[in-house]
Structures are given as C-alpha cells and as structure tokens.
Amino acid sequence: TRPVGVLHASGHILNVNTKGLELAGVLKEGTNHPGLPLGEVGVPTGVVNSAEIIMPAGKLVGLARAGLASAVEGGRHGARGCVRA
C-alpha cells in the first residue's frame, strides 16, 4: 500500500516496489524503456537504472535530489526520514 524504494550507493540504481512503480506510471504491460528491465511476464521488475525514471519514482518514495547533493545534507535528509517513520 506504500511506495518503497532503495537507492544503491552508486546513486545509479533504484529498486522500487509495485506501489512505487504504479504511482510513477510505469507499472503496465508493454512498458518499453532501456532503464526499466521487464520480467518474464512483460511488466517492470522494480529495478530502475535511468535518471529520467529514478528522479520521478524517487520522489514518490521519499528521495530528494537535494539530499543526494552532499554528505551533510544527505545525512540530514535521511535522519528526517527516520524521524517520520
């Protein structure tokens, strides 16, 4: 029921659950984008490795680009997320 995402340390890959893909508008059969691998049944697997999808999907799961800009601000952004949880 909640969108959840895990950003890899490199910042180039985001794993998103089904709800996150749904809200990002990419959870549909026939989606064709090189940064969104499809599973055996033709729907996205949840691995996102394209900046043009990571940023919109990331916003849905609580990632903010400003939080990735520096270690200090990134730490504060992460701490705010923990407090909200």
Side-chain angles (χ1 to χ4, degrees):
T1 59
R2 289 182 182 205
V4 176
V6 176
L7 184 66
H8 291 227
S10 69
H12 295 279
I13 300 172
L14 175 69
N15 290 92
V16 182
N17 69 349
T18 303
K19 189 64 174 181
L21 292 172
E22 178 186 318
L23 292 172
V26 295
L27 185 64
K28 42 191 156 186
E29 195 171 329
T31 299
N32 186 14
H33 189 284
L36 195 64
L38 303 180
E40 292 179 17
V41 294
V43 295
T45 61
V47 175
V48 180
N49 56 21
S50 167
E52 69 180 300
I53 299 176
I54 286 176
M55 295 317 298
K59 288 178 185 175
L60 295 169
V61 297
L63 297 176
R65 187 156 182 94
L68 302 174
S70 72
V72 172
E73 185 54 35
R76 287 185 185 130
H77 179 73
R80 285 191 294 269
C82 292
V83 169
R84 281 195 316 260

